Amino acid sequence: MSRYDWRHSLFAPVVGLIVSAVLLVAGVVEALLVSVGATTAPAAAELVVTLIIVVFLTAVLRIARAAPDIRRENAATARAVANVQTVKPTEDTLVGRRLRLFKEAAEAGNDCEAVLSARSALDETEMANKHHLDHALIWALPVFGFIGTALTMGAMVNSFSNALDNQADPGVLIAALKQHVLPELASAFGVTLIALFLSVLAFGAMALVERAERAGVAAADEVFLIYIARLPAKESAPAMHGLTQELAQSRGRTEELVKGLDALRTAVERLSAVESRPQKYTLVREP
């Protein structure tokens, strides 16, 4: 991987980390916890929410990188729909790659439609591989939410046990519940709520991008399927033409073999008829 590629891949997490740190320092994370029902904002809950925001921003920024490529592919496909001659085989687009393969297959006498189908399958696989990390980040969001909930509830139990201090007074128990258990419990579930909400937003963005990319592949395929359908049969399917010639030759040889068998059968029938006919013998006395 080149230096540019490394910088490009690190852009999203670095930006997410910086923005999340600013939000934490500015008190936005604490306000976010309070907005979802938390009466307090423990340090553990704030740190986990900050980490959730980092992952969310990283996923969204990575997903947003596909938007320029989608616009470029749509523009190239629109030009191909208007006039396929405007597409250059050297350009790195869906229609450009298909046009290059189409010309190579036509020159080699191969089935152009099969080649384009294989290219479409490769593009689908490439898109799935490209978004593997994005799906992993989206999947990690609710997981981090549950981790934050567990950490916050663990801190809650520890604070509650320290507040009791081995005292059996019911008043002390009620006061400890109000002071340590209920507020911490609200904060714990608030972390999970934030994580789930952000995961839904990230998943929606991911679904929109994948839908646009698949639509681009389908549009590029449709352009060349229409183009193939308008070509003469000899140009669009040279392999089928060769197969037709072979079948015609095979049919001719089969007809010759059938004629030979018919002639042989006729000769056998005549021979059988001659042998089954009564024979008349005449005795001749020589002088």
Side-chain angles (χ1 to χ4, degrees):
M1 185 178 290
S2 64
R3 182 180 302 177
Y4 173 77
D5 293 332
W6 276 109
R7 292 179 179 178
H8 191 62
S9 62
L10 291 176
F11 172 77
V14 170
V15 172
L17 184 61
I18 294 174
V19 173
S20 301
V22 172
L23 295 178
L24 177 63
V25 174
V28 177
V29 175
E30 180 180 0
L32 186 61
L33 281 169
V34 173
S35 66
V36 295
T39 55
T40 62
E46 290 189 11
L47 289 177
V48 174
V49 171
T50 303
L51 178 61
I52 291 172
I53 295 175
V54 171
V55 175
F56 170 75
L57 292 177
T58 302
V60 170
L61 290 175
R62 286 180 55 87
I63 294 171
R65 292 185 310 174
D69 293 335
I70 293 174
R71 288 195 296 267
R72 181 170 59 88
E73 296 289 356
N74 291 339
T77 304
R79 286 189 287 107
V81 170
N83 185 6
V84 73
Q85 301 298 329
T86 60
V87 180
K88 297 180 180 179
T90 56
E91 66 181 27
D92 188 18
T93 59
L94 293 173
V95 290
R97 289 192 293 268
R98 279 157 176 74
L99 180 60
R100 182 168 60 252
L101 286 174
F102 179 83
K103 290 186 175 180
E104 293 176 355
E107 292 174 357
N110 295 325
D111 188 356
C112 300
E113 187 174 354
V115 172
L116 292 176
S117 178
R119 179 69 259 181
S120 179
L122 289 175
D123 289 332
E124 290 282 350
T125 304
E126 182 180 352
M127 285 190 301
N129 293 333
K130 181 174 64 174
H131 294 298
H132 269 321
L133 182 57
D134 303 332
H135 284 287
L137 292 173
I138 295 173
W139 174 85
L141 285 172
V143 174
F144 283 125
F146 293 133
I147 291 174
T149 298
L151 290 176
T152 306
M153 293 184 71
M156 172 197 69
V157 173
N158 188 27
S159 300
F160 180 64
S161 61
N162 293 334
L164 289 178
D165 195 17
N166 298 325
Q167 296 182 14
D169 187 1
V172 175
L173 180 61
I174 294 175
L177 287 172
K178 292 181 178 181
Q179 182 178 359
H180 299 285
V181 176
L182 297 180
E184 299 285 347
L185 191 62
S187 300
F189 287 110
V191 175
T192 301
L193 183 61
I194 293 172
L196 292 175
F197 178 73
L198 294 181
S199 66
V200 170
L201 294 180
F203 182 79
M206 184 79 264
L208 291 176
V209 168
E210 288 183 332
R211 179 183 178 184
E213 289 179 341
R214 289 192 176 93
V217 173
D221 289 340
E222 185 177 2
V223 169
F224 284 93
L225 286 177
I226 295 174
Y227 186 62
I228 291 174
R230 293 175 179 175
L231 290 177
K234 185 177 180 180
E235 296 183 8
S236 61
M240 290 298 296
H241 181 67
L243 180 60
T244 303
Q245 291 181 347
E246 292 181 3
L247 290 175
Q249 294 176 0
S250 177
R251 185 169 59 251
R253 290 192 295 266
T254 303
E255 291 176 354
E256 293 178 359
L257 180 60
V258 171
K259 290 179 180 179
L261 291 174
D262 290 339
L264 179 61
R265 185 175 64 252
T266 302
V268 171
E269 291 176 352
R270 290 179 179 178
L271 181 61
S272 299
V274 170
E275 291 180 353
S276 61
R277 184 181 305 170
Q279 302 293 327
K280 181 178 180 182
Y281 297 94
T282 304
L283 297 177
V284 180
R285 184 178 178 180
E286 293 181 358

